[in-house]
Amino acid sequence: MSDPAVRTVDLVKQYEGGRIHALNGVSVDVARGEFFCIMGPSGSGKSTFLHLVGALDRPTSGEVWLNGRSLSSERDLDTVRAWEVGFIFQLHNLLPALTSAENVEIPMVVSKLRRRERRRRAEELLESVGLSHRRDAVAAKLSGGERQRVAIARALANSPGLILADEPTGDVDSKTGEQIMETLLAVRRQVAATLIVVTHNPRVARDADRVMEMLDGRLRSSGQL
Amino acid sequence: MLILKNLLRRKVRSALSLMGIAIGIGAIVSFNALGQGFRHALDAHMRETGAQLLIINKTVQDPAFSRVLKEEQDFVRSLPAVKNVSVGTFSIAAPRGLKVKTFMPALLVYGRTPGDPLLEKFRANIRGRLIEGEDEIMLGTVAAENLKLEPGETLELFRRTFRVVGVYESSISFERIGAILCNVVLQKELQMGDAASIVFVYLKDTAAWERVKQTVESAYPNLAAIRSEEFTLFYDQFEYIDWYVWIISLVSLMIGGLGVLNTMLMNVSERTREIGTLRAVGWSRGRVLGLILSEGTMLSIAGGLAGLGVGWAAAEGFIRSAPRDFFATRYSPELFAVAMIVALVLGLVGALYPAWQASRLSPIEALKYE
Ligand SMILES: Nc1ncnc2c1ncn2[C@@H]1O[C@H](COP(=O)(O)OP(=O)(O)O)[C@@H](O)[C@H]1O
Ligand SMILES: [Mg+2]
C-alpha cells in the first residue's frame, strides 16, 4: 500500500519525429489522496504530461506507474482509461446531442451495469455536482459552468482513484470557475480520490496540497508556495 | 440511444442517404414483383389448361415461334399413356395492324379447334357464342373493352376481316387480353402448314408424365415436353429479364451504398472530437467501430423498410397506370427478406470504412482538434 497513486520516471515525450520536445524527463510521485497542482506557461508541456498520466497517449521514453503498475506493460490502455482515471478537459467535451444524464452514463457503457442502474448512478452523480434539475437537458443547451460540472460527474462515473483536470476553469469566467472548483473539491473529498489539476489560477493553487511548475518540459517546485 | 440521436441530429443528411437506400431497395422490390407477377400469370394460364405436359419446339426462343409438326402431334397422340391432346397455335398481333385506335400494347391471338375442350370451356361464360368458322373471332372481355368491340362487329386482323361472334370471360389475365380464332386461320396466315405452336397433352395416368416426356424427347430431339407448372422455368428469356432487373437494381443499390458511405464519412469526420472523447473515457476501438456500424445499420434498416414501401407503391402505381391485365405483381416473403438483407449488407458495407476510420482515431487527436 505504500505505492504512490502516480509515479513518473524520466518521462519524455517528443512530437513530429523528435522535432518538438514537449516533455524532457519528468520524474514525480503523487501520493494517494493528494491534491496536486501544476502551473506553468502555455506550451510548457502540462497537457502532454496529463495525457501520459491519464493513459491517453504513450511516452517516447520513460514510464508512468499507476498504483505500482507500469502503463508501458499494459497492452490495452482503454481499460485503464475506463476504470482508473477520470479526465476533465479544458473544453468539457460533452456529446452535445445527449442529455446530461446520458453523458454521465457514457463511461458506464463499458461496465456490466444494467441500463437502469447506470441511469440511477448518473442521477446520483449529477445530484452530487448540484445538477439534478438539469439531468434531462441536452448538453448543447447547458451553460459553460453546467457543462463542466456534468464533465466532473462523468469523470467520476466508474469511481476512478485518480482524477485529472486540464485547466477545468480555463474557459469560463472567474466566478463560474470558482463554483466549478468548489464542486470538484467537494466531490473529491467524498470519494477520496487523488487529484491532479493543471491551472493558471493562483486561487486554485492555494487549495492544493502541493504545487509544481512546468517549464520547457520539466517539472520543478513552485516558489510561490 | 446514442446511435439514434446522432442520426436524428443530422436529419437532412440521414434522410438523403435513407432515400438513396430506399430507392435502390424500391427498384429491387418493384421490378421483381412485376417479373414475378408476369411469371405467375403465365404459369396460371398454363396450369389452367389442365394438361400435364406441354410440347413445344425448343429450338426457338419464344413460344410464338414454336412449331410442332403434324407428324410429331400424331406421334404424341398415338402414345398409349396419352388420353388426348389439344393443339394450339399462338401469335402476338401488333395493335398498329388492327386499324383500331387502342392503347393496348399487343393482342395475344390464340388458335383453337372448334369442339376442343380448350375452346368449349368458354361456353358457359360468353356473350354471343363460340367460334365455328374461319372468319369468326372471339375476344376476351378486356380485349373487347380495349378495342371497343361488341359481338356482331368486325375486326381486321392479318389482312382479313373477322366477325366478332363472342366476348368471353376468363379468370386468366392472358386470356382476358387475348382473342381466339380457329387454328387453321393462324396456320394459314402464319404459313405454319399444319404445325402447332404448342401441344397440350392429357394423360390417362398423371404419374406417367416422366415416361411420356422421355419418349417424346428421344424420338424428336427438337421438341421439349414440359410439365405445365414448369413452363416459365423452361424459357430462359425470363432469366434475362431477371438479370436485367438485377443489374438495374444493383446500379441503384450502388448509389444507395455510396450515400451511406458519404453520410457516415461526413458524420465521422464531423464527430472526430466526440469519438475521441468516447475513446478518452474508456471506449475501446471495437466499441467505437460497433457504434458507427450500428448507425449505418440503423440507417439501412430504415432505408430498407422505406424501400419496401417505395417498391410496392411504384409497382402498384405502374400497374394502375398500365393497360389492364398486361402486368401483374406478386410479392413473396422471400422478396421482402432478400430486399432487407441487401439493405442491411449495404449499410454495413457503406459504414465499414468510416467505422474503421473512426476506430483508428486516438483520444489525443480528438482533444487537440479545435
Ligand atoms: N499532438 C501534438 N503534435 C505536435 N506537437 C504537439 C502536440 N501536442 C502538443 N504539442 C506541442 O508540445 C508542446 C507542449 O504542449 P502542451 O503539453 O499542450 O502544453 P501546455 O498544455 O502546457 O500548454 C507545445 O509546443 C505543443 O505545441
Ligand atoms: Mg494545455
Side-chain angles (χ1 to χ4, degrees):
Chain A
M1 288 305 276
S2 62
D3 290 318
V6 178
R7 162 169 290 171
T8 69
V9 181
D10 204 18
L11 213 48
V12 171
K13 181 69 180 178
Q14 299 172 352
Y15 291 111
E16 295 175 12
R19 287 201 292 117
I20 296 176
H21 297 248
L23 290 182
N24 296 313
V26 174
S27 300
V28 69
D29 282 7
V30 180
R32 265 177 221 199
E34 186 177 0
F35 173 10
F36 181 67
C37 188
I38 300 172
M39 301 188 75
S42 196
S44 59
K46 306 182 294 297
S47 293
T48 301
F49 174 75
L50 227 50
H51 293 163
L52 295 179
V53 171
L56 294 177
D57 204 0
R58 290 186 187 270
T60 307
S61 69
E63 284 201 77
V64 176
W65 299 71
L66 297 184
N67 294 316
R69 228 171 73 240
S70 168
L71 290 190
S72 53
S73 59
E74 297 285 326
R75 277 198 58 231
D76 184 12
L77 290 183
D78 302 334
T79 39
V80 177
R81 291 199 288 269
W83 298 105
E84 297 182 36
V85 188
F87 221 110
I88 300 157
F89 309 99
Q90 173 171 8
L91 295 163
H92 56 86
N93 279 50
L94 299 181
L95 272 61
L98 302 189
T99 65
S100 307
E102 287 165 348
N103 264 290
V104 178
E105 281 183 56
I106 283 179
M108 295 188 249
V109 169
V110 180
S111 75
K112 288 194 183 74
L113 288 184
R114 300 228 187 93
R115 261 188 107 108
R116 192 172 304 164
E117 295 166 323
R118 291 199 316 238
R119 176 77 193 186
R120 184 159 356 107
R121 171 137 181 85
E123 284 169 7
E124 281 168 17
L125 287 165
L126 283 173
E127 192 182 347
S128 70
V129 297
L131 278 180
S132 281
H133 60 294
R134 299 294 272 156
R135 67 186 181 203
D136 294 322
V138 173
K141 298 248 164 71
L142 299 174
S143 72
E146 285 172 336
R147 286 177 196 177
Q148 208 53 297
R149 270 145 62 195
V150 173
I152 292 169
R154 179 180 66 187
L156 296 169
N158 289 338
S159 312
L162 175 63
I163 299 169
L164 305 174
D166 193 355
E167 302 189 39
T169 62
D171 212 38
V172 293
D173 62 66
S174 62
K175 188 160 169 295
T176 312
E178 233 160 84
Q179 283 171 357
I180 291 170
M181 275 318 293
E182 260 170 42
T183 307
L184 181 56
L185 294 180
V187 295
R188 182 191 79 98
R189 268 193 299 278
Q190 283 169 28
V191 299
T194 310
L195 174 64
I196 304 180
V197 177
V198 166
T199 185
H200 289 297
N201 187 342
R203 300 184 54 155
V204 174
R206 216 168 39 208
D207 292 328
D209 299 322
R210 185 158 56 121
V211 180
M212 290 186 88
E213 194 170 8
M214 190 72 82
L215 262 178
D216 297 328
R218 280 179 223 281
L219 205 55
R220 55 189 66 184
S221 333
S222 169
Q224 295 175 0
L225 245 183
Chain B
M1 71 180 183
L2 202 58
I3 303 162
L4 201 59
K5 290 203 172 178
N6 273 315
L7 290 176
L8 291 181
R9 187 143 48 113
R10 278 91 182 176
K11 279 200 187 69
V12 174
R13 190 189 305 154
S14 297
L16 278 177
S17 71
L18 194 142
M19 249 169 60
I21 299 173
I23 288 169
I25 298 299
I28 290 188
V29 169
S30 57
F31 284 123
N32 275 288
L34 285 165
Q36 291 295 322
F38 183 75
R39 272 173 189 250
H40 182 75
L42 192 52
D43 274 331
H45 180 31
M46 290 306 175
R47 227 177 309 115
E48 203 262 352
T49 63
Q52 286 83 33
L53 285 174
L54 309 171
I55 294 180
I56 46 96
N57 188 320
K58 71 178 177 198
T59 59
V60 293
Q61 185 59 268
D62 190 285
F65 301 129
S66 165
R67 300 289 181 264
V68 182
L69 303 179
K70 185 81 169 88
E71 173 203 334
E72 297 161 342
Q73 299 166 26
D74 290 341
F75 174 79
V76 177
R77 194 177 280 118
S78 71
L79 293 174
V82 173
K83 189 165 68 188
N84 66 295
V85 301
S86 290
V87 166
T89 47
F90 175 64
S91 183
I92 305 173
R96 61 175 171 275
L98 294 178
K99 299 205 173 162
V100 180
K101 255 199 143 65
T102 177
F103 58 86
M104 69 193 292
L107 179 64
L108 307 184
V109 183
Y110 302 96
R112 296 289 184 256
T113 314
D116 189 278
L118 288 184
L119 187 57
E120 285 300 320
K121 69 170 187 174
F122 294 109
R123 192 179 285 281
N125 286 307
I126 192 163
R127 262 186 313 126
R129 58 169 175 79
L130 297 178
I131 49 167
E132 287 158 8
E134 288 195 21
D135 52 0
E136 295 177 350
I137 194 168
M138 49 197 254
L139 298 171
T141 43
V142 175
E145 189 184 298
N146 287 342
L147 298 170
K148 298 185 185 66
L149 286 175
E150 286 290 320
E153 296 186 275
T154 57
L155 171 65
E156 274 193 53
L157 180 68
F158 305 134
R159 293 169 299 149
R160 286 175 66 157
T161 305
F162 294 90
R163 203 156 66 83
V164 179
V165 296
V167 173
Y168 60 86
E169 299 268 5
S170 171
S171 61
I172 302 298
S173 61
F174 284 137
E175 289 180 343
R176 288 197 295 273
I177 60 174
I180 299 177
L181 37 69
C182 288
N183 261 329
V184 284
V185 178
L186 266 188
Q187 285 169 335
K188 208 174 290 174
E189 293 309 323
L190 301 177
Q191 305 191 339
M192 294 168 75
D194 42 18
S197 307
I198 184 163
V199 174
F200 301 88
V201 181
Y202 299 84
L203 299 172
K204 289 175 183 147
D205 171 15
T206 311
W209 70 268
E210 203 154 10
R211 202 154 33 82
V212 172
K213 175 184 164 75
Q214 276 168 10
T215 311
V216 172
E217 288 182 349
S218 58
Y220 297 100
N222 58 315
L223 298 184
I226 312 159
R227 294 224 284 161
S228 49
E229 57 266 41
E230 290 173 350
F231 186 71
T232 52
L233 291 180
F234 182 80
Y235 278 100
D236 57 2
Q237 65 257 50
F238 294 126
E239 261 169 53
Y240 291 124
I241 295 176
D242 281 355
W243 276 110
Y244 191 63
V245 163
W246 278 104
I247 288 168
I248 294 176
S249 306
L250 284 177
V251 170
S252 11
L253 283 178
M254 294 247 302
I255 297 166
L258 287 176
V260 177
L261 180 69
N262 181 51
T263 300
M264 298 310 292
L265 270 180
M266 283 173 75
N267 280 357
V268 165
S269 77
E270 273 180 9
R271 279 156 60 200
T272 301
R273 196 180 171 79
E274 285 180 30
I275 291 162
T277 304
L278 294 176
R279 299 274 290 123
V281 300
W283 280 37
S284 62
R285 271 164 202 243
R287 201 174 281 278
V288 168
L289 194 84
L291 174 73
I292 307 297
L293 283 183
S294 0
E295 285 185 18
T297 309
M298 292 267 295
L299 206 58
S300 65
I301 288 177
L305 287 175
L308 298 187
V310 166
W312 176 82
E316 294 305 314
F318 174 74
I319 283 192
R320 297 241 179 322
S321 61
R324 185 143 65 92
D325 282 342
F326 277 85
F327 301 95
T329 46
R330 201 162 170 77
Y331 306 91
S332 57
E334 290 87 357
L335 173 57
F336 288 140
V338 166
M340 281 312 287
I341 290 169
V342 169
L344 219 105
V345 169
L346 203 69
L348 278 178
V349 169
L352 208 59
Y353 176 66
W356 178 75
Q357 275 214 329
S359 75
R360 281 185 357 135
L361 283 171
S362 91
I364 292 299
E365 245 169 309
L367 295 176
K368 73 175 182 190
Y369 191 84
E370 268 155 41

